[in-house]
C-alpha cells in the first residue's frame, strides 16, 4: 500500500524555523513531481512549493526567500525548510506526490496533513 508519511509540524514562534519531511513508501517505481500545499483556517488550499525530479522548483510568492523545498530521490522523500515563519504561515500543510506505482502507473497521492502553528 502506498503511503505518504509527514513529520516535522508543530508550534513555533514567529521568526523561527521548522523542517517538514514527507516520505513515500510502497510499491513505487519512480517519484515525479512532489510538493507541499497548505490550507489555513477559512481559506482555500494553496500550493506552497513544488519540485520536479530534476530539482527544478516553484514557490508561492508569499514564501519566496523564506522556504526551501528539496528532495531525496533515493529515499522518495521531499522536505520543506521553513525559515522566518510568520503568523500567516499557520496552516495545515499537506504533502503531495505524483508517483509511478507498480501495477497502477502514474498516480497522485496526498499525505494526511500536519499542523503548523506560529505564535506572534
Amino acid at each position: 500500500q502506498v503511503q505518504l508519511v509527514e513529520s516535522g509540524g508543530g508550534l513555533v514562534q514567529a521568526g523561527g524555523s521548522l523542517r517538514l519531511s514527507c516520505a513515500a513508501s510502497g510499491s513505487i517505481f519512480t517519484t515525479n513531481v512532489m510538493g507541499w500545499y497548505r490550507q489555513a483556517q477559512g481559506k482555500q488550499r494553496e500550493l506552497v512549493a513544488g519540485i520536479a525530479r530534476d530539482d527544478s522548483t516553484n514557490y508561492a510568492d508569499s514564501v519566496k526567500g523564506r522556504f526551501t523545498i528539496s528532495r531525496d530521490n533515493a529515499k522518495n522523500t521531499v522536505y520543506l525548510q521553513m525559515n522566518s515563519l510568520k503568523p500567516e504561515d499557520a496552516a495545515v500543510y499537506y504533502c503531495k506526490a505524483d508517483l509511478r506505482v507498480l501495477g497502477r502507473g502514474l498516480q497522485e497521492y496526498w499525505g494526511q496533513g500536519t499542523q503548523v502553528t506560529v505564535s506572534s
Side-chain angles (χ1 to χ4, degrees):
Q1 182 179 355
V2 173
Q3 294 186 59
L4 301 182
V5 180
E6 299 165 307
S7 62
L11 174 64
V12 66
Q13 292 184 331
S17 298
L18 285 174
R19 191 193 192 207
L20 305 183
S21 299
C22 174
S25 63
S27 300
I28 301 168
F29 187 65
T30 58
T31 55
N32 195 18
V33 175
M34 304 184 79
W36 292 93
Y37 292 71
R38 69 186 182 189
Q39 187 167 19
Q41 200 163 20
K43 296 184 178 180
Q44 295 186 154
R45 187 174 299 186
E46 64 176 350
L47 174 68
V48 178
I51 184 166
R53 192 168 178 86
D54 65 357
D55 290 332
S56 62
T57 59
N58 65 291
Y59 296 91
D61 288 340
S62 60
V63 307
K64 287 181 179 178
R66 299 188 297 119
F67 291 10
T68 303
I69 188 170
S70 60
R71 65 189 292 162
D72 185 334
N73 292 330
K75 297 180 178 179
N76 293 328
T77 300
V78 62
Y79 307 93
L80 185 67
Q81 179 67 45
M82 304 186 293
N83 298 327
S84 301
L85 282 161
K86 304 175 181 179
E88 52 262 43
D89 294 319
V92 177
Y93 283 71
Y94 297 90
C95 174
K96 186 182 79 73
D98 295 332
L99 309 175
R100 196 168 300 278
V101 178
L102 294 178
R104 292 184 177 272
L106 188 64
Q107 300 287 325
E108 181 180 278
Y109 293 89
W110 289 85
Q112 295 298 310
T114 184
Q115 178 71 52
V116 172
T117 303
V118 184
S119 62
S120 60

